[in-house]
Amino acid sequence: MSDIIINVSDEPAQSKPQTGNQRRNNNWFRKKMHRGFPQGLSKYNHRMGQSRHEPPPPRQNGAPAKHPSTSTHSKSLPSPSSTAGASHSSSQPSTSAHSPPSSAVSVNSTGSHEKPKEPGNTNPTASAHRPSASSLYKATATQTSTGNPTKFLAIDCEMVGTGPKGSISQLARCSLVSYDGDVVYDKFINPSVPVTDYRTRWSGIRRSDLVNAIPYAEARKEILRLLMGKVVIGHAVHNDFKVLGYSHPGALTRDTSRIPLLNEKAGFAVQECASLKRLTKAIFNRDIQTGRKGHSSVEDARATMELYKVVKDEWERKLASKPQASQCQV
């Protein structure tokens, strides 16, 4: 067997001509390292001996890493720019898997942090102020001028007296009629306190009418349920609301005793508070509230609705154009 010379000193070995065995061993080493077999290096080191100044190849994930090739067949290295780009991209975490929600915090172009906008209605007019009384009047006037018969009710109530000498008025009959004059509600009502004066000459109420009459509390619930959301027409209607213990919205109330247009058509003074009987006679040439039997609340409610219909369109236009202060009483 031919001898193999191994240089173990720190001094560089002198250049000597390689023998045939040395050339074969070098070629064998290059081939093994070029093919990527780490076993070749361990065998060669075992055979040739490993230098004290050469550290062993590092291990990666439990397997020895490939030793960089020392052959003349060197691979081309990537450019610095591509290396920097690769390292930058590899150092940044993946945003697809662990990116925070987009609604957390945004950064604008000036670098300041902005809180995300709260979800909800993005319409700037959605949180506007509540409609004023004047706008409610205008909206009601627009609806009534277009003619929606189901929104109108005329009311008339008949009262009896209670207390000392019958001085306290109590509800004894209530009638509601539609825009076309049909009876929607008409009942005798038994007051919650004893009646001391039936006022039959004006009310038309007699003792017998209240024997089996509906109790006041029950009748009141029925009436208010019908009035809800309606345009209520009455003559001196505040008296009717008073005995009901009720206040109807002013924008939905029409009082024929306070409509100057009716007085003009009847030939009365504009500010005069004319009675229902006089207005009906002057405009329709018809008599109501006649005889000894007293008034009929159905007849009075129908006359009130007919008077309102005479001036309805013109009066609603005037209400829509009036300032809020002058619309408190209609």
Side-chain angles (χ1 to χ4, degrees), residues 43-269:
K43 289 181 180 180
Y44 181 77
N45 289 337
H46 179 72
R47 293 175 57 187
M48 300 295 295
Q50 190 172 15
S51 174
R52 291 177 301 174
H53 304 284
E54 189 175 15
R59 301 179 66 86
Q60 296 180 354
N61 298 329
K66 294 181 182 180
H67 196 280
S69 175
T70 57
S71 65
T72 57
H73 304 284
S74 62
K75 296 181 181 180
S76 61
L77 298 176
S79 62
S81 61
S82 61
T83 305
S87 63
H88 178 71
S89 62
S90 62
S91 63
Q92 293 181 350
S94 173
T95 58
S96 61
H98 304 284
S99 60
S102 59
S103 61
V105 175
S106 62
V107 180
N108 57 19
S109 60
T110 60
S112 61
H113 294 272
E114 295 179 354
K115 291 184 178 180
K117 294 181 179 180
E118 295 293 336
N121 191 0
T122 58
N123 186 0
T125 61
S127 60
H129 298 289
R130 291 184 178 181
S132 62
S134 59
S135 62
L136 184 58
Y137 270 101
K138 292 180 181 179
T140 306
T142 302
Q143 293 176 0
T144 54
S145 62
T146 57
N148 186 2
T150 59
K151 287 189 66 68
F152 297 91
L153 283 178
I155 186 173
D156 189 77
C157 297
E158 301 297 342
M159 280 79 84
V160 293
T162 62
K165 298 182 180 181
S167 59
I168 303 174
S169 296
Q170 296 289 339
L171 181 63
R173 183 182 180 183
C174 181
S175 300
L176 301 174
V177 300
S178 68
Y179 188 80
D180 296 324
D182 299 325
V183 177
V184 176
Y185 186 93
D186 181 32
K187 289 183 179 181
F188 289 106
I189 299 167
N190 191 8
S192 57
V193 294
V195 178
T196 57
D197 186 356
Y198 287 93
R199 304 177 185 175
T200 304
R201 179 180 175 184
W202 299 276
S203 67
I205 305 296
R206 293 167 177 80
R207 182 187 299 269
S208 59
D209 296 330
L210 304 183
V211 173
N212 296 319
I214 183 174
Y216 169 79
E218 185 178 346
R220 182 177 181 273
K221 292 180 181 179
E222 295 177 349
I223 296 166
L224 298 189
R225 189 180 302 115
L226 293 172
L227 297 181
M228 189 68 63
K230 302 293 186 180
V231 177
V232 180
I233 299 103
H235 196 82
V237 70
H238 60 279
N239 293 324
D240 301 316
F241 291 152
K242 183 178 180 179
V243 294
L244 284 168
Y246 172 67
S247 179
H248 198 66
L252 299 176
T253 304
R254 303 292 182 268
D255 192 342
T256 53
S257 69
R258 297 175 179 267
I259 301 180
L261 289 174
L262 280 176
N263 287 4
E264 291 178 3
K265 291 182 178 297
F268 304 150

